[in-house]
Amino acid sequence: MLKTSLSPDNSAALERAMAAVAAAMADPSRVKMLCALMDGRAWTATELSAVADVAPSTASGHLTRLVEGTLISCLSQGRHRYYRLAGHDVAEMVEQMMGLSWGRITPPETTAPESMRHARTCYDHLAGTVAVQIYDAMQAQGWLVADGSALTVCGREGFLQLGIAMNSRARRKACCACLDWSERRFHLGGEAGAALLVHLENKGWIQREVGFREVTVTASGKAALHKHFHC
């Protein structure tokens, strides 16, 4: 039996909450919707029904379950309703589940377009081949602890030298190793990954197109990434 320091009442409440989250995700169509929302955008019910390959009426029921499970939130704008992940903690949970799941199957040959594999967004951080190369370089330079769960002193200094400001009061993880679905290797997630993406965009090293996940690395960005991360 699992022993916990929580009081019996709190322990029971935690167990019920965990069961509710698990139940909300216990359907392939709902998992497809959560994975689609990992691009960080807000999607309509119609768009999510297409992603999950279900009828709009069926999608409505799935979305209600996800909202009730506090995994997604619903935003109303005019006559339209949009859905997005409820927060960074949900995105990190989905990332971890994707990584755990890939370890249980034979990785299929990816059919993703080359532009998507090269560079794209993963919720609020950079993903794709470029992101994996940056992560590998940070590991080689000693910026990250072995499992990617924290910046080292060298890493914090490296971020400061690049001009990347970290939010010391952030409630989420400082950083984490996020499994890249196209590369089957890790890229940088967490607060550090989000701060890096913002920095790359502000410097003009990458360009994002509204409504799309693909990211274009500019000429100046290629030079900068080669200089700092040998990409």
Side-chain angles (χ1 to χ4, degrees):
M1 181 178 178
L2 178 65
K3 293 184 178 180
T4 174
S5 59
L6 294 175
S7 68
D9 287 345
N10 285 340
S11 180
L14 176 60
E15 291 164 357
R16 288 194 296 271
M18 290 175 64
V21 170
M25 299 185 68
D27 184 280
S29 295
R30 293 198 286 274
V31 171
K32 288 180 182 179
M33 292 177 176
L34 289 172
C35 290
L37 292 171
M38 283 294 291
D39 68 356
R41 293 184 292 150
W43 292 55
T44 65
T46 300
E47 291 170 331
L48 290 170
S49 69
V51 165
D53 195 24
V54 296
S57 57
T58 304
S60 178
H62 286 314
L63 290 169
T64 297
R65 287 294 301 275
L66 292 172
V67 170
E68 290 175 347
T70 66
L71 295 174
I72 66 173
S73 58
C74 180
L75 310 171
S76 295
Q77 185 170 317
R79 294 182 299 172
H80 300 286
R81 302 177 73 186
Y82 297 88
Y83 297 87
R84 64 186 307 166
L85 294 183
H88 299 297
D89 54 343
V90 177
E92 290 172 358
M93 179 182 66
V94 174
E95 288 171 355
Q96 293 299 321
M97 290 189 65
M98 290 169 72
L100 184 66
S101 300
W102 277 126
R104 286 163 165 71
I105 66 173
T106 300
E109 291 293 328
T110 181
T111 57
E114 178 58 32
S115 59
M116 179 77 79
R117 294 184 60 189
H118 182 66
R120 63 182 182 276
T121 55
C122 176
Y123 194 55
D124 63 353
H125 55 268
L126 188 67
T129 305
V130 173
V132 169
Q133 291 176 348
I134 291 174
Y135 182 88
D136 288 346
M138 287 183 174
Q139 284 283 17
Q141 295 172 24
W143 285 25
L144 304 169
V145 299
D147 63 358
S149 62
L151 291 171
T152 62
V153 173
C154 180
R156 290 193 292 271
E157 291 176 351
F159 266 56
L160 287 175
Q161 290 176 3
L162 284 174
I164 301 176
M166 292 285 290
N167 182 2
S168 60
R169 297 183 177 181
R171 299 178 60 183
R172 62 191 300 198
K173 293 179 181 177
C175 64
C176 64
C178 178
L179 185 68
D180 195 282
W181 58 259
S182 63
E183 297 299 309
R184 308 294 190 265
R185 292 159 62 198
F186 293 115
H187 59 244
L188 187 66
E191 180 67 23
L196 176 63
L197 178 64
V198 171
H199 179 74
L200 295 176
E201 188 171 17
N202 289 343
K203 296 287 287 187
W205 294 348
I206 63 170
Q207 292 180 342
R208 301 168 65 182
E209 186 173 350
V210 177
F212 293 89
R213 295 185 64 184
E214 291 90 342
V215 170
T216 300
V217 181
T218 64
S220 61
K222 291 178 181 178
L225 292 177
H226 179 72
K227 174 183 177 181
H228 297 294
F229 303 111
H230 311 294
C231 294

